[in-house]
Amino acid sequence: MSIRNAAVWSLAAQYATFVIQFAASVIISRLFLLPSDVGLFSIALAASMLVSIFQDMGITRFISGQPEMRPEAVPHYASVSVSIGWTVALAIAATSPFVASFYKEPALIHLLWLIAGSYLVMPYATVPAALLVKDMDFRALFKVNAGSAFAGNATAIALAASGFGAASLAWGVLATALARATIANLIHPVRPRMPSHLKTVKPMLGFSSMSFVLSASGAVGQRSQDLIVGRLLGLAATGLFSRASALAGQLTTLVTGAIGNVFYPAFARKRDAGEPLAAPYLHLVACYTALNWAAMTGLALCAEPLVMLLYGPNWIGAAPLLRWTALAEMFFVAIPLQMDIPLLLGQIKKLVWVNLLDTAAAVVILAIGCTIGLEQAAQSRLAYGLVWWSIYALYLSGIIGFRIDRLLMVYLRSAICALAAGLPLITAYSLGMRGAEMGLPVLLALCGLGVLSWLATLALTRHPAWAEVRGAVGAIAGPLFARSAG
């Protein structure tokens, strides 16, 4: 499968998963659950994910980045994944009483047990899915991701409607894991088999030992957010903060998450061929920022009407948080593949130290914001984003070889396009239209005008992403026209 076709299928998977998850979050939040319910689940999920840093141990990256894969070693890798997953499940279950005691919420025990159950199943999908990524079979991966997302979210909605509260979300996590493992093994079956000696898995274990440190550091930085907010500001604040962060993160995944999935194996091939990476990396940055900065500008501008229309008045407190987290997200997409590229180039030891610095900044800045208030906690994400960008921009420029001034020129063109995308909303607000009172038809019309303005500016500025947009449209429209003509 070509990179462009792979990107189209990967985008399709991201869009389908986003639509399913987004629709479920709207239905559940608007009709069934309060911010405190979502906050309770967010704390349970964040606590379990701190333990789940052992889960992957870099197995996915190891398999998808290998120049050659010995078929006889694959079942052994799967057995390692399953062994780790079961250990994680036991650890989550064992620590659940301590987490519940720390937050003084006994209901956390039940939620953590359900989430622990998902880690008994999840590792059975790890190696099959990694092999699909390695083969760039994103058509099959679409079935895995979209199918499991539908199963898990449908379960969560049904149980929330039946009065299960926060537990409905935990049951949804378990259903997602079951569906993902089932579909992945139907498409690319892998039967785990314990190796007779460590020789066959030694390369993977060597890679995983350092990858674990990276995973641990990254988990503390990313997953501790809800834990810190929950401890310092309470359940309702955690629910609002989690919803705002999730919405901004989901939109990022929708817009460009698929591109990263495709470009990781693509960069691995360029590395193996000895090709320079600076030019293709700057092209990737251009695509990331052109798409994401426009989306985040729109999200920040329509935060208030969007929250009111989607989630209702119970969630209006998430609107100012969403505005700040959307702006912060612009930093986090400005340096894509910040972990993957160093791993491909054998920089894992140095990457560990860089990531530890990043993690320390994330925890300290958020904790300071939380001591002031909830909105200040969201604003602290913007300060952390600037620190994050500084760390990884300097690091990757050193190992890839791109110049910072060329990177800034890419940013300038993307910023102009993002401003053009937000211009209709900015104009509407300047004319006195109130965000909270804006109806859905008006909001959709303004966003549609923003998309047209963005596309026109891409073409006028000759932005590198313009060629990719046209290519993606051609990859989708070409087969459709050929099919209709036949």
Side-chain angles (χ1 to χ4, degrees):
M1 183 179 289
S2 69
I3 292 179
R4 185 162 287 168
N5 286 335
V8 170
W9 275 106
S10 190
L11 281 170
Q14 295 288 358
Y15 290 157
T17 302
F18 173 81
V19 169
I20 293 167
Q21 292 178 340
F22 180 69
S25 71
V26 170
I27 294 170
I28 290 173
S29 299
R30 191 173 184 88
L31 300 179
F32 306 121
L33 300 186
L34 295 173
S36 57
D37 297 317
V38 176
L40 185 66
F41 169 76
S42 298
I43 291 172
L45 187 63
S48 67
M49 285 183 171
L50 281 180
V51 179
S52 71
I53 55 178
F54 298 94
Q55 170 66 31
D56 191 292
M57 289 286 285
I59 295 173
T60 299
R61 281 196 179 106
F62 175 80
I63 292 175
S64 60
Q66 286 297 293
E68 296 181 6
M69 179 63 63
R70 294 182 295 112
E72 65 274 13
V74 171
H76 300 155
Y77 295 153
S79 70
V80 173
S81 177
V82 171
S83 299
I84 295 171
W86 284 38
T87 303
V88 168
L90 290 173
I92 293 172
T95 57
S96 59
F98 302 100
V99 176
S101 175
F102 183 75
Y103 286 95
K104 299 178 181 179
E105 292 290 342
L108 284 172
I109 296 178
H110 181 218
L111 300 184
L112 285 166
W113 272 83
L114 288 172
I115 295 172
S118 70
Y119 285 99
L120 294 175
V121 183
M122 203 179 300
Y124 289 95
T126 300
V127 172
L131 291 171
L132 293 176
V133 173
K134 178 178 173 56
D135 296 338
M136 297 189 73
D137 189 355
F138 288 93
R139 181 181 303 179
L141 206 58
F142 170 87
K143 300 175 184 177
V144 175
N145 294 334
S148 59
F150 179 80
N153 285 280
T155 300
I157 291 173
L159 293 178
S162 300
F164 277 65
S168 61
L169 300 176
W171 278 108
V173 171
L174 179 56
T176 299
L178 286 167
R180 183 175 178 82
T182 301
I183 299 171
N185 279 277
L186 287 174
I187 295 173
H188 200 311
V190 176
R191 185 176 180 180
R193 187 173 68 250
M194 292 297 295
S196 56
H197 48 78
L198 293 178
K199 183 179 179 180
T200 56
V201 296
K202 188 175 180 180
M204 186 193 72
L205 293 176
F207 178 88
S208 298
S209 61
M210 293 303 295
S211 182
F212 164 72
V213 180
L214 285 175
S215 298
S217 176
V220 172
Q222 296 174 17
R223 307 304 179 189
S224 63
Q225 295 179 38
D226 290 338
L227 297 177
I228 294 171
V229 175
R231 180 65 178 175
L232 296 178
L233 298 174
L235 291 182
T238 306
L240 295 172
F241 185 87
S242 175
R243 182 59 74 215
S245 300
L247 189 55
Q250 284 175 340
L251 185 57
T252 298
T253 302
L254 170 69
V255 174
T256 53
I259 298 176
N261 292 339
V262 173
F263 269 88
Y264 180 75
F267 273 113
R269 293 180 181 183
K270 288 183 177 294
R271 174 207 60 187
D272 298 336
E275 299 178 19
L277 299 181
Y281 184 77
L282 287 176
H283 183 78
L284 177 63
V285 171
C287 294
Y288 256 69
T289 52
L291 293 164
N292 258 304
W293 285 8
M296 291 304 139
T297 299
L299 186 61
L301 287 170
C302 64
E304 191 176 58
L306 190 65
V307 169
M308 281 295 294
L309 288 168
L310 294 176
Y311 302 117
N314 287 333
W315 292 85
I316 192 60
L321 313 184
L322 178 59
R323 185 174 298 112
W324 291 110
T325 52
L327 293 174
E329 199 70 24
M330 297 173 76
F331 284 108
F332 301 131
V333 300
I335 302 292
L337 300 182
Q338 82 282 359
M339 302 285 281
D340 303 288
I341 295 294
L343 289 175
L344 287 174
L345 298 180
Q347 292 272 326
I348 189 168
K349 290 184 179 179
K350 188 173 182 180
L351 179 60
V352 167
W353 291 105
V354 172
N355 195 245
L356 287 172
L357 176 62
D358 160 28
T359 299
V363 172
V364 171
I365 292 173
L366 179 60
I368 293 173
C370 286
T371 59
I372 303 173
L374 180 57
E375 187 167 355
Q376 286 72 26
Q379 291 171 351
S380 74
R381 297 295 295 166
L382 196 59
Y384 167 58
L386 179 59
V387 173
W388 183 95
W389 178 88
S390 302
I391 292 171
Y392 286 104
L394 293 174
Y395 177 44
L396 263 68
S397 68
I399 64 174
I400 296 178
F402 63 81
R403 290 166 45 186
I404 293 294
D405 60 336
R406 291 192 62 191
L407 179 67
L408 294 178
M409 289 304 298
V410 170
Y411 289 160
L412 177 61
R413 295 165 81 178
S414 295
I416 293 172
C417 296
L419 181 61
L423 194 58
L425 281 165
I426 295 172
T427 303
Y429 290 143
S430 67
L431 294 175
M433 297 183 66
R434 293 177 58 86
E437 299 172 359
M438 192 180 295
L440 182 59
V442 174
L443 184 62
L444 290 176
L446 291 171
C447 290
L449 288 174
V451 171
L452 294 176
S453 176
W454 173 73
L455 288 171
T457 310
L458 282 180
L460 289 172
T461 59
R462 297 181 181 180
H463 196 287
W466 176 240
E468 298 300 327
V469 170
R470 289 187 301 167
V473 171
I476 296 172
L480 292 177
F481 284 131
R483 194 175 304 162
S484 62

